[in-house]
Amino acid sequence: MRLTKLALAALALGLSACQTNAGQSAADQPASVDLSVAETRAALSVALAKALNRGRIELGVTATDQTSTVTVLPPPLGPHETHSTAVPIRFDIIRRKGKCLALRADDGSVHTMSGVRCETVK
């Protein structure tokens, strides 16, 4: 019984160690973008396409137009594909030193977003 509790504690500790804030600094502030503004949506799409090294991307659906999290959908299936294991990629919108940035959730990389206007979330 004692060994089982010890193994569970070690497992819980190991799983919690996987959580990281890679890419984030203490000066980062959560921010949001207004996707109802066509220019903002276009600039955001260009910036995230560049971040993913793709020519074009499709943004995922958000609950509201004012959002602090944006997802990029996987590329569409090719003509000879029936399914894909690709998943959407999540970006958190942050402000650092007055600039709007996209923080990629899965790898912690930070990407600049030229022409994107964001507001600090209070």
Side-chain angles (χ1 to χ4, degrees):
M1 182 71 165
R2 180 172 164 85
L3 184 60
T4 304
K5 286 183 181 178
L6 187 59
L8 287 174
L11 177 63
L13 184 61
L15 290 175
S16 66
C18 293
Q19 297 176 359
T20 181
N21 288 335
Q24 273 192 306
S25 75
D28 292 348
Q29 299 173 317
S32 66
V33 293
D34 187 355
L35 296 178
S36 68
V37 178
E39 294 82 12
T40 300
R41 180 180 277 277
L44 181 68
S45 293
V46 168
L48 296 181
K50 184 177 178 183
L52 295 171
N53 201 25
R54 291 192 204 161
R56 188 178 91 68
I57 61 154
E58 183 177 348
L59 297 175
V61 177
T62 60
T64 64
D65 285 333
Q66 192 71 32
T67 184
S68 58
T69 302
V70 178
T71 56
V72 175
L73 300 178
L77 295 175
H80 302 293
E81 294 177 301
T82 58
H83 67 285
S84 172
T85 58
V87 294
I89 299 170
R90 190 183 93 218
F91 289 89
D92 296 319
I93 309 302
I94 60 172
R95 285 183 66 95
R96 182 184 291 167
K97 297 180 182 178
K99 294 182 180 178
C100 294
L101 304 169
L103 174 65
R104 187 171 167 169
D106 61 352
D107 68 6
S109 60
V110 178
H111 305 276
T112 59
M113 298 192 300
S114 299
V116 176
R117 186 169 181 265
C118 67
E119 300 294 327
T120 303
V121 176
K122 295 173 172 82

